[in-house]
Amino acid sequence: MTDPLYPSKPRPGDLVAVLSPSSGLPGALPLPYELGLSRLQDDFRLKPVEYPTTRKMGSTPEERAADIHAAFADPDIKAVIASIGGDDQMAVLPHLDRTLLRTNPKPFFGYSDNTNLLLFLRNLGIVGYHGGTVMVEFGRPGAMHPMTADSLRAALFTSGEYELTAASTYGDVGRPWQDPRTFESEPEMEPAGGWSWHNGDRVVEGISWGGNLEIISWLLMADRAVLPVGAYAGNVLFLETSEEMPRAEEVYRILRNMGERGLLQQFPALLMGRARSWSFENQLGPQEKAHFRRQQKEAVLRAFQQYAPDAMVVFDVDLGHTDPQLVIPVGGRIRVDGPARRITVTY
């Protein structure tokens, strides 16, 4: 994949589709969703268009695929944005019309379970955008994070290079979306500590591949939306973990299995997202959070030392389920400059 296709970008005033290719949570939790829609309209000056399953809980894979087709085929729709993630988008992929999507490329924004559609589009040669769901990033309580908003604005409206920067503070502790008081103030943040570099003695530039680690493990099990390993030679890998907080041993095992498949060895560089270390089901304290993140890092290094010891690894990049979030092009160009400690993506 040498010449990625960057779809044309929307302009202020354009229509954008808001879809739920995974879960119809906007119907169950309207507060962050309505806030996200209002920011799309008021702050980004885009006109969101909903589809039949956008707010529908329990929609079928066929119904969600039909919404994807309708959004991509409509010439008036200039971008497609996911409402949120979920856990069964893989079941949508067999119902997608490759020819329709390939001939009507649009910028697609989403992450987590939307890794499925992003990698599906990548296989069609279409660059997608890992990040920016309506309910989470656009619907952030209090205000959008400035770093998230700047990255999203650049990815949505501009083309060209964008330099990522390390956050000085971050957050991953949530508050209930059912409670209106949640949206009266911004989330609490804590010191971020910057990026951490391993083998950062060279410059790597290549096409990106990756997304949520748990979803990628499922795609590998189903042998879906994953090309033969040689297709990724020289690419830049990026990975992140979700609020389900997989144990360090599970992270290692997934990466080990990728190594056994010959996959890890294809990537001269990895951007590893800051590990989510709190959830409503697993409410860790400060010391426990630090220990969890340290174990996650050790698991990644253990796998790479076994299978790709020369790869450059950058830890704690803000590209996943933590706040702020920086958008990563999927199938787009990334330059990782170890000596200069700089990461540049092409939107």
Side-chain angles (χ1 to χ4, degrees):
M1 186 175 180
T2 56
D3 296 310
L5 170 62
Y6 284 89
S8 299
K9 301 296 182 72
R11 294 180 293 182
D14 281 343
L15 302 178
V16 296
V18 174
L19 302 185
S20 296
S22 296
S23 172
L25 276 179
L29 295 165
L31 295 179
Y33 178 65
E34 295 289 353
L35 178 57
L37 288 182
S38 68
R39 289 193 178 128
L40 268 174
Q41 296 174 88
D42 300 337
D43 299 345
F44 286 75
R45 295 173 55 206
L46 293 170
K47 298 176 181 177
V49 178
E50 296 186 28
Y51 286 72
T53 66
T54 302
R55 300 190 194 223
K56 181 181 178 182
M57 295 293 293
S59 60
T60 67
E62 293 90 341
E63 290 173 328
R64 284 175 271 156
D67 281 358
I68 293 169
H69 292 154
F72 274 81
D74 187 341
D76 292 328
I77 296 292
K78 303 303 182 183
V80 181
I81 305 174
S83 65
I84 198 165
D87 66 5
D88 76 334
Q89 193 177 107
M90 184 191 296
V92 176
L93 300 188
H95 304 286
L96 295 178
D97 184 330
R98 287 173 168 80
T99 301
L100 183 152
L101 297 176
R102 187 184 294 113
T103 55
N104 298 278
K106 304 277 173 74
F108 172 70
F109 287 78
Y111 66 105
S112 195
D113 198 32
N114 294 290
T115 296
N116 287 281
L117 184 51
L118 287 165
L119 294 183
F120 187 92
L121 293 171
R122 185 192 189 278
N123 287 353
L124 301 179
I126 301 169
V127 176
Y129 297 90
H130 180 275
T133 60
V134 175
M135 294 179 70
V136 183
E137 283 69 40
F138 287 98
R140 182 180 186 263
M144 289 188 71
H145 193 290
M147 290 179 66
T148 303
D150 189 75
S151 176
L152 273 169
R153 200 175 297 277
L156 268 166
F157 296 122
T158 70
S159 300
E161 293 188 346
Y162 181 88
E163 184 169 349
L164 306 186
T165 54
S168 59
T169 61
Y170 88 99
D172 63 358
V173 177
R175 293 177 291 183
W177 279 350
Q178 301 92 333
D179 189 345
R181 293 172 296 181
T182 290
F183 300 92
E184 295 174 357
S185 60
E186 295 187 44
E188 292 186 11
M189 309 291 277
E190 58 185 277
W195 298 335
S196 173
W197 294 73
H198 172 75
N199 287 341
D201 57 354
R202 72 205 78 156
V203 177
V204 172
E205 186 167 4
I207 303 302
S208 66
W209 185 84
N212 178 258
L213 182 65
E214 300 101 295
I215 301 303
I216 286 175
S217 76
W218 298 352
L219 288 168
L220 289 166
M221 278 191 280
D223 196 22
R224 189 166 293 167
V226 180
L227 301 175
V229 295
Y232 303 112
N235 285 190
V236 174
L237 178 64
F238 72 97
L239 297 169
E240 58 93 24
T241 52
S242 76
E243 74 280 0
E244 295 190 359
M245 295 169 55
R247 296 182 303 113
E249 191 64 22
E250 180 63 16
V251 169
Y252 165 74
R253 288 168 178 165
I254 294 172
L255 293 173
R256 176 199 63 195
N257 297 345
M258 292 171 67
E260 287 294 328
R261 189 169 176 145
L263 194 51
L264 288 191
Q265 298 89 318
Q266 307 303 315
F267 303 102
L270 162 68
L271 305 183
M272 192 70 203
R274 188 184 307 280
R276 178 74 179 259
S277 57
W278 188 97
S279 72
F280 287 105
E281 294 76 25
N282 198 0
Q283 300 185 23
L284 302 184
Q287 292 184 336
E288 294 172 309
K289 284 164 63 87
H291 179 66
F292 180 88
R293 292 193 300 269
R294 187 163 55 249
Q295 286 185 314
Q296 297 277 307
K297 179 179 179 181
E298 291 169 356
V300 174
L301 284 175
R302 179 182 169 197
F304 270 80
Q305 285 166 353
Q306 284 181 260
Y307 294 99
D310 295 328
M312 176 164 49
V313 184
V314 190
F315 290 96
D316 295 330
V317 183
D318 298 285
L319 57 81
H321 280 72
T322 56
D323 180 34
Q325 184 196 69
L326 304 175
V327 177
I328 303 295
V330 182
R333 300 193 179 280
I334 297 183
R335 177 181 172 89
V336 189
D337 188 332
R341 298 297 194 257
R342 298 175 69 179
I343 302 171
T344 305
V345 300
T346 299
Y347 289 151

